[in-house]
Amino acid sequence: MMKALLNRLAMLLRSPYPELQQRWKTVVFPALLVFFILYFLQPFGISRMEGPKLLILLGYMLVSAAMLSVVVYVLPVIFPGWYCEERWTLGKELLSTLLLCVLVILGNWIYTAQVFAIPLNLHLLCICLLWMVVIGPFPFVLFMLWNRNLQLRHNLREAIEMNVRLTSKLRDGVQEQALPQPTGEIPATVVLDGETKEKLTLVVRNLLYAESEGNYVCLHYLPAGTGTPVTKLLRLTLKQVEESLAVYPDIIRCHRAFVVNLQKVVKVTGNAQGYRLHLEGCGGEVPVSRAYAKVVKGYFETQ
C-alpha cells in the first residue's frame, strides 16, 4: 500500500508542469500582493511601527520582487539544463518555489536587520520564517493556479483555432492528399536502419508518428492496404529519424520524444501542458511541447 502511494507520488512529481507564460507578472503581482497584505492588514505588530511605514513596507515588496527575479530570470540563464521547458515538472516547480521561499526569507532577514538596526541573529531569522509561513502561501498558491489557468486558456484557444482549420481541410477533402507522391529527388519511401540488422522500409505518407523509448524509437504507421496501425521498434535515435525525414515538410519534431506526421492529424486538444494531436486511425495522442507549439500552429495556419 505504502509502495503504491509512493509510486503515485513519484509519478505526480514527474508530471509535466507549464512554465511561466508572462514572467514579469509572476514577479510584479506576488510582490504587490505581499505589500497589500502588509499595508492593509498590518500583521506582526506593523500597526505599531514608527517611522516611514510606507517606505519600509515598499522595501519588503522590492526585496520580494528581487528574490522572485532571481528565480524567474537569473537561475534559468545560469542553469539552462535544469530549467529546460520540456523537462519542467511539478516536482521541479515545487523545488523552485521552496528555493524562492528560502531566498525571500534571507532577503527579508537582511533587510529587516538593516532597517531596524537589529543584529543578524537566529531569533530574527525565525521571525522572518514565521512571516513567510503566514503570508507566503497566499501569493504562491494564487499564482501557481493563475499560471496554470493562463496556460490552459491559451492552449484551448489555439487548439480551437487549429480545429477550425482542420475541419475545413477535411470538408474540402484535402486530408486524403497526405504527403503527395514525391517527385524528382524526394522518394516516396525511406529506409530506416537501426544499429542492429533490423531495418524498416517505410512508405512515408503512411507514417503516423515516431516516439523515443530510451535507446530505441517506436514507429507507428499504417501498412499499405490497411487502416490498422502497427508499430516497429528500431534501435536508433529520434534525431536520426528526424534527419531521415527532413525533406518531408509535413513530418516535424513536436516534442523532445516525438516526431509526427501532421497530415494525419484529425483533431487537436489543449491542456495546461500544451497541445495533444489526435491522429487518423490511431487511439493514442501525441503531445506538443511549448517549444514546438509555434511550428505546429504555423503549419496549420498555412494549410
Side-chain angles (χ1 to χ4, degrees):
M1 181 66 177
M2 181 59 68
K3 185 177 180 181
L5 289 175
L6 291 175
N7 287 337
R8 288 187 179 182
L9 177 60
M11 289 180 62
L12 178 63
L13 293 176
R14 290 196 298 267
S15 62
Y17 186 85
E19 276 203 326
L20 303 174
Q21 277 288 307
Q22 297 172 307
R23 295 175 181 270
W24 70 269
K25 290 184 178 180
T26 311
V27 172
V28 174
F29 288 172
L32 284 173
L33 185 57
V34 168
F35 170 76
F36 287 136
I37 291 174
L38 294 177
Y39 186 77
F40 291 104
L41 300 182
Q42 300 198 7
F44 313 115
I46 292 176
S47 58
R48 300 188 300 273
M49 183 186 296
E50 297 180 357
K53 184 186 300 185
L54 178 61
L55 292 178
I56 292 174
L57 297 183
L58 283 172
Y60 283 111
M61 181 188 74
L62 292 176
V63 168
S64 299
M67 298 302 102
L68 280 161
S69 297
V70 169
V71 174
V72 171
Y73 288 106
V74 178
L75 292 182
V77 174
I78 300 175
F79 305 104
W82 171 262
Y83 286 89
C84 176
E85 176 190 338
E86 293 185 1
R87 298 185 179 94
W88 196 248
T89 62
L90 178 60
K92 287 187 176 183
E93 180 68 22
L94 293 177
L95 286 175
S96 178
T97 302
L98 178 61
L99 174 61
L100 174 58
C101 291
V102 172
L103 291 176
V104 171
I105 291 170
L106 294 177
N108 287 332
W109 182 42
I110 296 171
Y111 175 74
T112 302
Q114 292 296 319
V115 169
F116 296 102
I118 302 173
L120 285 170
N121 53 41
L122 183 60
H123 177 69
L124 180 59
L125 181 61
C126 290
I127 291 175
C128 293
L129 176 60
L130 177 62
W131 291 358
M132 173 58 67
V133 171
V134 174
I135 297 177
F138 294 100
F140 289 132
V141 172
L142 176 63
F143 283 93
M144 282 181 71
L145 295 174
W146 169 80
N147 178 61
R148 194 174 186 88
N149 185 61
L150 182 68
Q151 184 74 47
L152 176 61
R153 287 166 53 193
H154 175 268
N155 291 339
L156 286 175
R157 182 175 65 252
E158 294 205 338
I160 290 172
E161 293 175 359
M162 285 186 278
N163 280 323
V164 169
R165 295 183 179 276
L166 275 172
T167 301
S168 175
K169 184 178 179 181
L170 290 169
R171 185 177 60 245
D172 296 339
V174 180
Q175 183 73 14
E176 296 304 322
Q177 298 176 13
L179 287 169
Q181 292 294 339
T183 57
E185 298 180 356
I186 303 179
T189 62
V190 64
V191 178
L192 299 174
D193 288 305
E195 295 179 4
T196 62
K197 293 182 179 180
E198 285 191 295
K199 63 180 180 179
L200 173 67
T201 301
L202 178 69
V203 178
V204 180
R205 64 182 295 168
N206 291 338
L207 176 68
L208 294 170
Y209 66 95
E211 179 181 2
S212 176
E213 294 187 1
N215 295 324
Y216 293 82
V217 169
C218 186
L219 295 150
H220 302 254
Y221 62 98
L222 298 170
T226 178
T228 304
V230 296
T231 60
K232 177 72 173 180
L233 199 64
L234 292 178
R235 187 178 177 84
L236 74 169
T237 67
L238 197 64
K239 183 66 175 177
Q240 290 174 307
V241 174
E242 186 180 16
E243 291 174 349
S244 298
L245 300 171
V247 295
Y248 302 91
D250 300 301
I251 299 177
I252 67 166
R253 186 79 163 258
C254 64
H255 187 277
R256 65 183 177 86
F258 288 87
V259 166
V260 65
N261 180 359
L262 292 178
Q263 280 285 356
K264 295 296 185 180
V265 176
V266 294
K267 181 182 177 182
V268 182
T269 55
N271 56 27
Q273 280 73 47
Y275 309 126
R276 294 278 172 173
L277 304 177
H278 301 255
L279 307 180
E280 174 188 341
C282 180
E285 300 176 1
V286 176
V288 178
S289 66
R290 200 174 132 203
Y292 298 95
K294 287 186 178 179
V295 177
V296 173
K297 184 183 177 184
Y299 173 87
F300 289 117
E301 286 177 345
T302 58
Q303 295 302 298

